[in-house]
Structure formats: C-alpha cells, structure tokens
Amino acid sequence: MAILITGGAGYIGSHTVVELLNANKEIVVLDNLSNSSKISLERVEKITGKTVTFYEGDILDRTILQKIFSQHNIESVIHFAGLKAVGESVRKPLHYYQNNITGSITLVEEMLKANVNNLVFSSSATVYGDPEIIPITEDCKVGGTTNPYGTSKFMVERILEDTVNAYPQLSVVILRYFNPVGAHKSGLIGEDPNGIPNNLLPYISQVAVGKLPELSIFGNDYNTPDGTGVRDYIHVVDLAIGHLKALEKHQDDRGYHVYNLGTGIGYSVLDMVKAFEKVNNIKVPYKFVERRAGDIATCYSDPQKAFEKLGWKTEHNLEQMMQDTWNWQKNNPNGYQN
Ligand code: NAD
Ligand code: UDP
C-alpha cells in the first residue's frame, strides 16, 4: 500500500515525505514543480536512503491522477499541492481558485472513482481570520478570510466536509497549520521561496546571509507586549510528524476531523529577530515600517486536541527552529539552485 503526496516536492511536503519514508511507508509524489524543484526529492532520498516514485504533473489533470491510482495501490492521499502566496492571490484570484479549489475537487473526484478513501488536507490558521479568542481552538468561527488564498482554504474545508457527509466511506483530516519554519537538521532540504520572501523567517535568513539589506518589521503599534505581531511558529519536522499521526489515527476512526497544528506559544517579530541573532550569532538589521494590509495582531493555537486525539505534540523549541533555518540557508544560499 502506498501514500500519494500531492505537492510533495515543496517545503512541507518534502519534510513529510522524509518522515513517512522513515516510518517505512511507500511514497508516490505528484507535483507540477510550479513552486519547487525535483532536487528536493533527490535530497529526500539522500537523507532517508529510500526511493520516492515521482510524477511531474498537475492535480487538475485527471489523466495523470487516473494513471497513478491504477498503477499504484494507493490507500491514502496527503494533499499539499496548492498556491500559497497571499499577495499574488489578491492579484490573481481566478488562478488561485482554479488551482486550489478546482484542483482539490478534481483530486477528490478521482479518489472516489478509484475507491481511495483517506485524505489529509493542508489547511491554515488563516481560515480563522481575525480570531475571536486566543489561543485559537478548532471550534472557533472560521471564514473571515481577507484574501483569495485564505478563502480558497476555507472553501476547500467546506467542500470536503460536505463531501464526507455525502460519501461516508471517505475519511478526511483537515490540518490547520500555524507558521511553519525551520528545516531538516541535515540542512539538505528547506524552504526555497521564489524571489523576495513574503514570510518572516526566510526574510530574516536572507538578510543574515547578505542577500537582502535589512528586515522591514510591519508595524510596532499592535496591541501586543512589544507592539509587533505575534504568531505561533512551528518547526516543519514537528508539522510533518503531525501528518503521520493523523493518517494513522484516522484510518480507523473515520469521518471529518479538524486539528490545529501549532505549539501553543506566541512569539513577536522582535522575539524572532532577537532569537535568530542570539542562536546564530549574526546581526539582523531591521527597521519599523507601516503595518502590512490584512495582518492581524496575534495568532496562536490551542494544540490540545491534536495532543489528546493524535498523541502529537511539538518537540522542537525556538532555538532549534532558528538553528535549522540558518543551517539550511547558509549551506544553500540560493536554495536548490546551487
Ligand atoms: P510549497 O509551495 O513549497 O509546496 C506546494 C507544492 O505544490 C509545490 O511543490 C508546488 O509545485 C505544488 N503545486 C502547486 N500547485 C500544484 C498543482 N496544481 N498540481 C501539482 N502540484 C502543485 O508550499 P508549502 O509551504 O510546502 O505548503 C504546502 C501546503 O500547505 C499548501 O497547500 C499551503 O497552502 C499549505 N500551508 C502552508 C503554510 C506555510 O506557511 N508554508 C501555512 C499553512 C498552510
Ligand atoms: N513580518 C514582518 N516583516 C516581513 C515579514 C513578516 O514584520 O518581512 C511579520 C508579519 O507582519 C507577521 C509576522 O511577521 O506579524 C509573520 O508573518 P508571515 O508572513 O511569516 O506569516 P503570517 O502573516 O501568515 O502569519
């Protein structure tokens, strides 16, 4: 039996493939490489000493999905494939809805036809919008999304819930990620953003490596302890292991299940800059600028449900997140294009 990983060449996907291979799972990856490189999977094979079957192709292409489902004995799908740049989604909403929503519908239709009934879906804390309570629990209101990317995640969640109601043979686990950071400790795989990074940690590490002159901190007048935004940063290896636990648990306990994957701890932008500087002994110049449109002050999880039901909790602390981010960045200053 094999697991299909859509988007498995990407940042979170490649780390998850490592953890699944280490758990002796057979892996098939489908990725159109629109935001990744095949080299990530070669590195995954180097880390694990195991092989990955790779298909370069699109989740919107039924032919390739049918080919994979007929040629491999797939029992579960982990669905990472999606576009994720918030700003780009505002400029290209139709592209985002087509890729993320139509892509997910196409995938699930082909799963049902092929009698593949286990799905884990990559969702995001962004579905909570500006959260009504902190820490955020899974039953907090969702849907106040402020951009097409976030709305696509919210809509796919709803579509999957309705689909489980109509097809009870399906088991769907929604994982709402908080802020994934860090890299595999080998320094062989990590986050490789296209162009200037949008996210905080890749930006900090590109300043540290000398590719960017300084960090702009978006706002220092939020209602937080130091005025800068607070988030729940989670090491990508902890996140990857969460997928393995979710798959194992919900092959028997079926239905529609939602989990937050976070640490439960909030750090401010300044906390992150200072921790990076201290752990790696490198200065990160920064300046304060205006708030970024659509940002909220504070967002961190209550991860208790995942702990109780999946037996999952994070194992990596802030120091390891900073060390591993820098280890990846300094060994791969140009990402996979070395
Ligand atoms: P990523 O861009 O590194 O990985 C996504 C992968 O999907 C890429 O390899 C890309 O080439 C592939 N892809 C995109 N559209 C495709 C399509 N139509 N067909 C086949 N492959 C396609 O992103 P990531 O950070 O690894 O994120 C993985 C998932 O987790 C995404 O769905 C993302 O929205 C979600 N997520 C990410 C974050 C984050 O901060 N990184 C937070 C919450 C949720
Ligand atoms: N941030 C920042 N400068 C940057 C990128 C991000 O000050 O160049 C801040 C941002 O305002 C937020 C935090 O860092 O408070 C995390 O932002 P990121 O884009 O990484 O994640 P998200 O906004 O999705 O939580």
Side-chain angles (χ1 to χ4, degrees):
M1 296 296 249
I3 302 169
L4 172 63
I5 315 281
T6 74
Y11 171 47
I12 306 169
S14 57
H15 287 81
T16 303
V17 174
V18 167
E19 298 308 319
L20 293 168
L21 288 171
N22 285 341
N24 293 319
K25 308 283 184 193
E26 187 187 333
I27 301 301
V28 176
V29 167
L30 171 64
D31 198 305
N32 65 6
L33 303 181
S34 59
N35 194 39
S36 55
S37 159
K38 221 183 118 188
I39 298 169
S40 68
L41 294 175
E42 292 164 15
R43 304 267 182 97
V44 163
E45 292 184 333
K46 193 167 170 191
I47 292 168
T48 59
K50 295 181 178 167
T51 54
V52 175
T53 305
F54 175 60
Y55 288 85
E56 183 174 344
D58 205 293
I59 51 167
L60 285 154
D61 176 3
R62 289 181 191 279
T63 319
I64 199 157
L65 290 169
Q66 287 162 4
K67 183 173 170 195
I68 291 170
F69 290 134
S70 66
Q71 293 193 354
H72 302 271
N73 196 2
I74 306 286
E75 66 178 339
S76 306
V77 178
I78 307 184
H79 177 31
F80 293 104
L83 297 171
K84 64 165 183 178
V86 170
E88 185 185 54
S89 80
V90 175
R91 295 189 300 276
K92 299 180 179 172
L94 298 178
H95 183 46
Y96 269 66
Y97 289 132
Q98 170 78 358
N99 195 77
N100 293 4
I101 299 180
T102 312
S104 299
I105 293 173
T106 308
L107 173 68
V108 175
E109 281 177 346
E110 293 305 326
M111 285 175 64
L112 285 167
K113 279 193 217 158
N115 201 25
V116 176
N117 291 316
N118 300 302
L119 177 69
V120 175
F121 174 63
S122 297
S123 189
S124 166
T126 194
V127 300
Y128 295 113
D130 199 350
E132 45 180 7
I133 53 155
I134 298 281
I136 304 170
T137 55
E138 289 81 353
D139 46 20
C140 280
K141 196 160 98 318
V142 291
T145 48
T146 52
N147 56 74
Y149 165 70
T151 306
S152 77
K153 291 292 176 194
F154 167 67
M155 288 168 79
V156 173
E157 286 195 5
R158 282 296 297 273
I159 290 167
L160 292 175
E161 187 172 10
D162 292 342
T163 308
V164 171
N165 287 334
Y167 300 91
Q169 73 270 30
L170 264 186
S171 171
V172 171
V173 185
I174 305 290
L175 299 179
R176 293 180 182 150
Y177 311 154
F178 281 69
N179 290 56
V181 297
H184 189 265
K185 63 179 180 325
S186 62
L188 288 171
I189 56 172
E191 187 167 9
D192 181 17
N194 263 334
I196 295 177
N198 296 308
N199 295 111
L200 180 63
L201 250 273
Y203 207 107
I204 289 178
S205 48
Q206 290 202 10
V207 170
V209 87
K211 290 179 78 174
L212 295 168
E214 66 184 341
L215 170 71
S216 294
I217 297 184
F218 301 138
N220 61 350
D221 56 352
Y222 284 106
N223 184 17
T224 60
D226 64 22
T228 66
V230 169
R231 297 289 183 277
D232 183 341
Y233 297 92
I234 171 172
H235 195 291
V236 65
V237 172
D238 283 327
L239 190 62
I241 292 167
H243 294 74
L244 182 60
K245 298 269 187 187
L247 264 187
E248 282 171 349
K249 165 87 179 158
H250 290 294
Q251 254 157 28
D252 298 328
D253 180 3
R254 308 187 63 74
Y256 178 82
H257 301 274
V258 181
Y259 295 98
N260 285 340
L261 294 184
T263 63
I265 303 167
Y267 289 110
S268 74
V269 179
L270 281 175
D271 290 336
M272 298 299 280
V273 172
K274 286 180 195 149
F276 187 95
E277 290 185 327
K278 183 162 175 244
V279 169
N280 299 312
N281 199 21
I282 297 181
K283 226 49 226 127
V284 178
Y286 65 83
K287 64 176 178 201
F288 293 114
V289 299
E290 289 297 293
R291 292 181 179 192
R292 182 171 66 178
D295 271 1
I296 55 175
T298 304
C299 173
Y300 59 92
S301 68
D302 179 342
Q304 194 58 22
K305 183 178 175 195
F307 178 61
E308 280 168 13
K309 296 249 168 82
L310 304 179
W312 172 90
K313 68 176 173 55
T314 55
E315 305 284 349
H316 295 77
N317 61 19
L318 188 61
E319 192 170 90
Q320 288 163 303
M321 296 182 208
M322 296 307 177
Q323 252 169 19
D324 292 340
T325 299
W326 181 231
N327 188 36
W328 156 253
Q329 179 70 63
K330 72 169 188 266
N331 289 319
N332 307 270
N334 300 313
Y336 290 111
Q337 280 150 20
N338 279 333

